[in-house]
Amino acid sequence: MTGKAQAVDAAARPVRTAAWSWWADVIASAGVVSVLIVVALWVRGGGVQDLRGWAAGLTSLGRLTGLVAADLLLIQVLLMARVPWIERTYGQDRLARWHRVVGFASFDLLLAHIVLITVGYAATDGVSVTGEAWTLVTTYPGMLLAVAGAAALTMVVLTSLRAARRRLRYEAWHLLHLYAYLGVGLALPHQLWTGADFTSSRAATLYWWAAYAACAGAVVAFRLGLPAWRTLRHRLTVAAVVPEAPGVHSIYLRGRHLDRLPARAGQFFQWRFLSLDPPMKVEPA
């Protein structure tokens, strides 16, 4: 499937050169620094001192894994937020690979956070692990929302496994994948109401609010706002669908002000066609 658009003033736009490569180091360093900031805030909050005791040490490690998991989860969202200067620096294929790696690392740390916090609290209170887990979920503010968020993230991770993805249509997988945003949102009240590291200092509160605001702003601006604005501006419609070969079609589009559409030779577009018609079935060649 191909799409064609005119871009007569492409020569007037700046061309990406090797000078842009330094952005890769800046962006990667920012991700590493964000994790180091989280660790530093944990240390400042007494995380290292708490490691001296068995129960307090488990709880402290649970706090650390939860904080790093949350930070990686936000980085994961930013990687696929379609931020223009990030995509131009790395390319969408590389970002997708990093998104997958960071996502699985974040989920593993989330599981470690749940286990360590539950076992640590149980050791502190002198009760069973299952009893402590029930107490945490039913009595701590925001925990029911956190459990729902963890369930949403678990569904996203399970459907992202290669064996599961092969069995799912892309449309179904993409819809399920959007629940990651729900998981991120449901985790926020838990951090606000019961996360001591979130409110332990003004620096910690400022960092986490800024991180969440940056991610939310990027998603709203570049995954929702920019596509909607371009759709309204260019009014793209399908002019023709031409079969070229078994399983191969050319889709011709037309619209307004296509000379202002920022397109270059060698680029590709991702289209979502709004139609009430059932999806077209194409038999394999």
Side-chain angles (χ1 to χ4, degrees):
M1 182 171 64
T2 61
K4 297 182 179 179
Q6 295 177 344
V8 297
D9 63 339
R13 302 189 184 99
V15 178
R16 178 188 170 190
T17 65
W20 286 75
S21 62
W22 67 275
W23 265 109
D25 297 330
V26 172
I27 296 171
S29 298
V32 174
V33 168
S34 72
V35 176
L36 294 177
I37 290 175
V38 168
V39 175
L41 292 173
W42 169 78
V43 172
R44 182 180 179 184
V48 176
Q49 289 84 344
D50 291 338
L51 294 177
R52 299 171 183 173
W54 166 249
L58 290 176
T59 303
S60 182
L61 288 176
R63 288 165 42 208
L64 177 61
T65 53
L67 292 170
V68 177
D71 195 68
L72 291 180
L73 185 59
L74 295 179
I75 291 175
Q76 179 192 12
V77 172
L78 275 177
L79 288 175
M80 298 305 290
R82 305 285 172 81
V83 181
W85 51 89
I86 296 179
E87 283 201 334
R88 292 168 188 164
T89 301
Y90 293 106
Q92 197 176 91
D93 53 344
R94 187 185 299 180
L95 290 178
R97 291 195 297 269
W98 288 358
H99 170 80
R100 179 181 177 84
V101 172
V102 173
F104 279 108
S106 174
F107 184 73
D108 291 341
L109 289 171
L110 173 63
L111 295 180
H113 164 70
I114 294 172
V115 172
L116 290 170
I117 284 291
T118 304
V119 175
Y121 278 26
T124 301
D125 298 336
V127 299
S128 66
V129 173
T130 55
E132 186 65 38
W134 178 256
T135 301
L136 287 173
V137 172
T138 57
T139 63
Y140 278 63
M143 283 302 299
L144 284 175
L145 294 177
V147 170
L153 293 174
T154 300
M155 179 184 63
V156 171
V157 169
L158 292 178
T159 54
S160 296
L161 297 174
R162 299 188 189 280
R165 284 199 61 178
R166 285 195 292 265
R167 296 176 179 271
L168 290 172
R169 292 178 55 192
Y170 173 79
E171 293 81 4
W173 171 84
H174 184 266
L175 179 62
L176 293 172
H177 211 68
L178 294 178
Y179 278 85
Y181 295 115
L182 179 63
V184 176
L186 290 175
L188 181 58
H190 157 61
Q191 285 187 300
L192 281 174
W193 298 335
T194 61
D197 292 277
F198 193 94
T199 58
S200 60
S201 68
R202 183 171 298 179
T205 303
L206 178 62
Y207 172 79
W208 284 110
W209 273 117
Y212 271 97
C215 285
V219 171
V220 171
F222 300 115
R223 284 197 69 92
L224 299 175
L226 185 59
W229 178 75
R230 284 178 175 168
T231 297
L232 294 174
R233 182 188 189 192
H234 298 294
R235 299 287 184 178
L236 290 173
T237 57
V238 177
V241 179
V242 180
E244 304 290 359
V248 179
H249 293 73
S250 291
I251 299 180
Y252 292 85
L253 305 175
R254 62 186 175 190
R256 304 184 306 173
H257 309 302
L258 296 184
D259 57 311
R260 299 180 183 177
L261 186 66
R264 287 183 172 276
Q267 288 182 328
F268 65 92
F269 288 83
Q270 292 180 331
W271 307 103
R272 288 187 177 89
F273 298 101
L274 302 179
S275 173
L276 297 178
D277 297 331
M280 180 177 56
K281 294 183 178 179
V282 179
E283 297 296 334

